[in-house]
Amino acid sequence: MVLQPTSKVSFAKTSLPYPLFAADFDPYNRGYLVVGGGGGISKTGVQNQIVSTTGVRVRIRLRGIMLTTEQSVLDVSNRSTITTIAEIQLSRDEDSVQSLGSLATKDGLITLAGINSSQADQNAGKNEHLRSFDIKYPPRKKQRTEKSDGVDEKGEIKPIGQRSLFKPSPVAKQETYQRVLRLSPAQKRESGSKRIGAVASSMAKDNEVVVFNATSATPAESDIITRINLPEGAEAADLDILEPEKSEFSVAYCTDSDVYEQTFRYDFSSKKAEKTPKGPRRIYQMPVPDASENTKSRPTFRCLRFLNTENLITLVNKPNKGGAELRIFHLYPTGPASLALQKSLPRRIRQAVGMDVCALDADKSGNQQVVVAVAGRDISIEVYVTNYQRRTATFSPFKHYITLKDVHEHQITKICLSPFHSPIRAADPEPPATGPNGELVPSKALESPSHPGPQYIRMASVTYGNTVVVDTFPLSPLDPKDKQSRYVLSHPSDETMTTVAYIVVISGIVLVAAFLIQSFIVGFSDDKAMSPFNLLPEGVRNFLDQPAAAAGGFGRGVELRVHSVVEDSLPTNIPGVGRLREFLSQHDPASSNKALVVRDAGDSTSLSIDVHPDQEAYIREDTEAKYWDQMNEQQQTAWKEKLIRAGEWVEGQGEKVLFGVLFSEYAGVVGNVAAQAMGG
């Protein structure tokens, strides 16, 4: 993995003997990760199994399920290692693990997994795709007995049961599988957290989303809250669940082109649900491209996650591998959602394969920071943050946090972020008490946990190449002096410094561009040119003109030297040298009776410019003078070179400005004076 030089992110990597397709963190972020996969129904010899590991960073292959365990986020040495704590091998006749979701228990997890039955069972109309496993964590160091004798104890994984929630398919060849499994987020409540779940089918004749009561390890038919039939040919690419209030749930799912939402109020005792509305409402539909456009397809939704009760984020892939983008939608109680924020991913990411979010803790005002991780098909991961302001109900533009390149050797199949729960803060000390004799008794701190230590969130990614990587991101208090402060991944002060640096760089680029334009078109010594450089002293502007002219290749420095010498030596009644552009801006030779004459001063470096009151009289006197359109191509080329060397004209001005100007090879008085001044 390639990390940025100044990155504070640490990572660990491990390999397993099977490909990986699913991963899920402990819902209370106790330092464990469950991963799963396998070779599917085949004769590859790759086993399907469940494994548990410890460590802060993990990489696992798919041929089963694995658990990763960390000893402590405070143990820096363990953040770079991964230890397997438990594993279970599954039947080779059944499919690989495709999806995972975990419910917390006191000493471990109840993990639900999407695993298809054998092909023979499927053909017989029996596919118990929803499996459940009881995972027991190994005892912590403080809980270990003397019998362990210092040897690390292992955890344990046991199958509990298996169920089929999808409708039987009428087709002969059964290919339906459980593509998506999602559980409502765990809540830290004194009364406990009752959760619901949802699964989505794929490759069926008629796909569906089934929402169920997840308080049972093996949900029965009576635990099904609702069954959502999808349009023909459509399937849910992703889904998510939110619990706005206790026992009230919002389920959102996306097909390739649409986003739907359904709200439930569910009574876990009576197992009755009240739907709002009665059926899922479509809150967004991807616009159909115009017939005039070349593309034949629309952008497609790849992933979806709730950000809060009123907003959700989607990952969108553009058609024809044209890139990917993030979109935040604002939800209303009724009617369609509105697009609130949009972010295009780097152009090197032609398609994205996965996304997950982690909402950090909010302050009393409801403000919080959200972390968004996106996995690209180029085996890179982009991490962004956005800040939610409760008062305005808006999100700040996405702030790039880090890019992780070459995370794996093979395609990423799953990415997930660990949940973050606000740590318990130390209570304020008791006020001083008064003794029986009126003396002050020293205050005692209330019994409570100590002030929270360093906080982290973790990101896991797995591949079909048998590897698991877990990255650890350090969090910091928004206000370090306030122990009740919420946590952030990207501090606003860092974002401000980045913005200031960006402004400085852009300003520098603009200044350099202005310098180059000024030097090659007008110059710095021209007092009449409107430019901020005119605020500089004349000596400084003259100095700046010399290197600029040298860079241009046509000797502006020579022009300045000749002009200054000649103009200082000329009588006041003789027009100055090097003022063609000035005269052209003041006179229009084509519509004036005056004659604007350019003469060769005879030294190949300077020209004299003169204005005669009577154009016809001057032509009778100087029979060698010619207008621009009267000269042949060789003569015009020669005069162009003289004008360029003298700094009076550049190719970009075009030849039209020279029409109406008389050109004479006779240097006259001006040439003689200039030659004498330079020679003396």
Side-chain angles (χ1 to χ4, degrees):
M1 178 187 295
V2 179
L3 295 175
Q4 297 175 358
T6 58
S7 172
K8 297 180 182 178
V9 178
S10 56
F11 79 98
K13 179 178 182 179
T14 191
S15 295
L16 300 177
Y18 56 87
L20 296 165
F21 302 103
D24 190 51
F25 278 102
D26 181 296
Y28 289 109
N29 199 14
R30 292 177 289 180
Y32 292 87
L33 174 71
V34 182
V35 297
I41 304 174
S42 66
K43 297 181 180 181
T44 60
V46 181
Q47 297 177 348
N48 295 314
Q49 61 185 53
I50 296 178
V51 181
S52 300
T53 63
T54 62
V56 175
R57 307 294 180 89
V58 182
R59 296 185 181 183
I60 301 175
R61 304 177 183 178
L62 287 179
R63 190 24 157 163
I65 302 178
M66 296 192 69
L67 284 175
T68 60
T69 303
E70 297 180 7
Q71 291 185 344
S72 174
V73 294
L74 300 177
D75 189 347
V76 179
S77 62
N78 287 333
R79 286 190 297 165
S80 59
T81 60
I82 299 170
T83 304
T84 300
I85 63 167
E87 59 183 354
I88 183 173
Q89 294 183 1
L90 306 177
S91 172
R92 295 183 180 181
D93 296 330
E94 296 183 328
D95 205 352
S96 58
V97 181
Q98 295 295 320
S99 54
L100 287 170
S102 296
L103 302 163
T105 62
K106 182 179 179 180
D107 54 359
L109 299 171
I110 298 296
T111 294
L112 304 179
I115 305 172
N116 269 8
S117 297
S118 65
Q119 191 62 56
D121 287 343
Q122 293 184 55
N123 293 339
K126 182 181 179 181
N127 182 15
E128 295 176 318
H129 55 84
L130 183 62
R131 312 294 177 90
S132 56
F133 299 88
D134 183 13
I135 299 175
K136 300 295 184 184
Y137 290 156
R140 298 289 187 179
K141 287 184 177 180
K142 294 182 180 180
Q143 301 172 334
R144 292 175 183 172
T145 63
E146 295 180 358
K147 295 181 180 180
S148 63
D149 195 23
V151 178
D152 290 339
E153 297 185 28
K154 295 290 186 179
E156 186 180 30
I157 303 177
K158 292 183 178 180
I160 298 177
Q162 50 196 51
R163 288 289 187 271
S164 177
L165 299 184
F166 297 140
K167 295 180 300 184
S169 177
V171 299
K173 186 177 181 181
Q174 302 289 331
E175 295 182 343
T176 304
Y177 75 98
Q178 182 179 302
R179 176 179 179 178
V180 184
L181 165 63
R182 191 73 177 170
L183 299 175
S184 61
Q187 308 289 340
K188 281 193 172 182
R189 300 190 184 118
E190 294 182 359
S191 59
S193 175
K194 294 184 178 180
R195 305 167 67 186
I196 68 170
V199 292
S201 63
S202 177
M203 299 182 68
K205 182 178 183 297
D206 297 308
N207 290 302
E208 58 184 335
V209 173
V210 179
V211 184
F212 60 92
N213 177 0
T215 58
S216 172
T218 53
E221 184 69 24
S222 61
D223 292 311
I224 295 179
I225 300 174
T226 188
R227 191 183 299 273
I228 302 173
N229 297 316
L230 303 182
E232 184 177 358
E235 63 180 65
D238 198 11
L239 63 84
D240 197 20
I241 307 175
L242 184 71
E243 187 177 4
E245 298 179 5
K246 188 176 181 180
S247 298
E248 180 179 323
F249 302 93
S250 178
V251 177
Y253 61 93
C254 61
T255 62
D256 284 348
S257 57
D258 301 311
V259 179
Y260 296 86
E261 189 273 340
Q262 175 76 72
T263 299
F264 305 90
R265 181 167 290 279
Y266 184 68
D267 188 333
F268 286 91
S269 300
S270 63
K271 296 186 177 181
K272 292 183 179 180
E274 179 183 347
K275 303 177 185 178
T276 307
K278 297 300 181 182
R281 59 181 181 128
R282 183 168 61 188
I283 59 176
Y284 186 82
Q285 182 179 30
M286 197 70 74
V288 179
D290 296 334
S292 59
E293 296 183 14
N294 295 328
T295 179
K296 296 182 180 180
S297 60
R298 294 182 283 179
T300 57
F301 291 108
R302 181 64 181 84
C303 298
L304 172 149
R305 289 290 182 270
F306 276 107
L307 298 178
N308 53 34
T309 58
E310 298 178 342
N311 299 274
L312 59 80
I313 185 173
T314 62
L315 175 63
V316 177
N317 281 326
K318 299 178 182 178
N320 304 319
K321 296 182 178 180
E325 61 186 17
L326 296 170
R327 297 182 183 182
I328 293 180
F329 292 96
H330 181 78
L331 278 62
Y332 300 94
T334 59
S338 62
L339 181 61
L341 189 62
Q342 195 167 355
K343 169 68 177 179
S344 293
L345 300 181
R347 286 181 292 181
R348 58 179 171 76
I349 300 180
R350 303 183 65 182
Q351 294 279 269
V353 297
M355 177 196 72
D356 202 12
V357 303
C358 175
L360 304 181
D361 57 337
D363 58 20
K364 295 180 180 179
S365 301
N367 304 323
Q368 66 181 152
Q369 189 172 93
V370 179
V371 182
V372 182
V374 181
R377 194 171 291 276
D378 62 341
I379 320 180
S380 70
I381 297 176
E382 297 288 336
V383 180
Y384 299 94
V385 297
T386 178
N387 297 298
Y388 178 70
Q389 294 294 325
R390 186 70 183 93
R391 183 176 61 85
T392 58
T394 58
F395 287 88
S396 66
F398 287 100
K399 166 70 168 55
H400 178 261
Y401 177 73
I402 194 172
T403 297
L404 304 175
K405 296 183 178 180
D406 302 323
V407 182
H408 298 270
E409 292 76 24
H410 299 87
Q411 186 62 61
I412 297 173
T413 53
K414 179 67 176 181
I415 182 173
C416 62
L417 287 166
S418 64
F420 180 74
H421 300 279
S422 183
I424 299 176
R425 272 74 167 183
D428 295 329
E430 294 179 350
T434 304
N437 299 323
E439 73 277 10
L440 293 177
V441 179
S443 62
K444 297 180 180 180
L446 297 175
E447 295 182 1
S448 63
S450 61
H451 191 77
Q455 301 295 309
Y456 303 88
I457 59 171
R458 300 173 183 83
M459 177 181 68
S461 57
V462 300
T463 75
Y464 64 75
N466 303 10
T467 55
V468 177
V469 173
V470 176
D471 296 276
T472 300
F473 304 104
L475 304 178
S476 60
L478 180 63
D479 182 4
K481 297 180 180 179
D482 181 7
K483 66 180 180 181
Q484 302 298 330
S485 173
R486 64 185 176 95
Y487 283 84
V488 294
L489 176 61
S490 177
H491 201 278
S493 61
D494 297 333
E495 298 178 17
T496 301
M497 290 298 298
T498 302
T499 302
V500 171
Y502 178 80
I503 293 174
V504 170
V505 171
I506 295 299
S507 300
I509 294 174
V510 172
L511 186 62
V512 170
F515 181 92
L516 296 175
I517 294 173
Q518 176 88 4
S519 62
F520 286 104
I521 296 181
V522 179
F524 296 96
S525 56
D526 191 349
D527 294 332
K528 296 183 179 180
M530 297 299 295
S531 168
F533 294 105
N534 287 351
L535 300 176
L536 298 174
E538 183 178 0
V540 175
R541 287 185 279 122
N542 290 340
F543 174 79
L544 292 175
D545 251 336
Q546 297 184 24
F554 46 76
R556 184 184 297 279
V558 176
E559 170 200 352
L560 290 174
R561 176 178 56 81
V562 174
H563 286 183
S564 61
V565 173
V566 172
E567 292 178 356
D568 290 343
S569 305
L570 285 174
T572 57
N573 61 340
I574 298 180
V577 181
R579 301 294 178 85
L580 177 59
R581 283 179 294 181
E582 180 180 348
F583 282 122
L584 287 172
S585 65
Q586 298 175 358
H587 305 282
D588 183 6
S591 60
S592 175
N593 292 328
K594 297 180 180 180
L596 178 57
V597 183
V598 178
R599 297 189 184 90
D600 187 350
D603 59 0
S604 73
T605 60
S606 61
L607 301 172
S608 65
I609 312 296
D610 196 6
V611 178
H612 288 260
D614 192 335
Q615 187 178 120
E616 295 182 357
Y618 179 81
I619 293 175
R620 287 195 299 269
E621 179 182 348
D622 186 0
T623 57
E624 298 297 327
K626 294 182 180 180
Y627 289 106
W628 184 258
D629 54 352
Q630 292 177 338
M631 293 187 292
N632 57 37
E633 184 177 353
Q634 290 77 9
Q635 291 173 320
Q636 290 178 347
T637 301
W639 273 107
K640 285 181 182 179
E641 294 177 356
K642 294 177 184 179
L643 292 169
I644 291 174
R645 283 197 302 269
E648 297 292 354
W649 179 82
V650 294
E651 291 283 353
Q653 291 180 269
E655 297 183 6
K656 289 185 178 181
V657 299
L658 303 178
F659 283 77
V661 179
L662 284 169
F663 294 86
S664 176
E665 298 289 343
Y666 175 64
V669 178
V670 177
N672 293 333
V673 173
Q676 292 173 5
M678 294 183 64

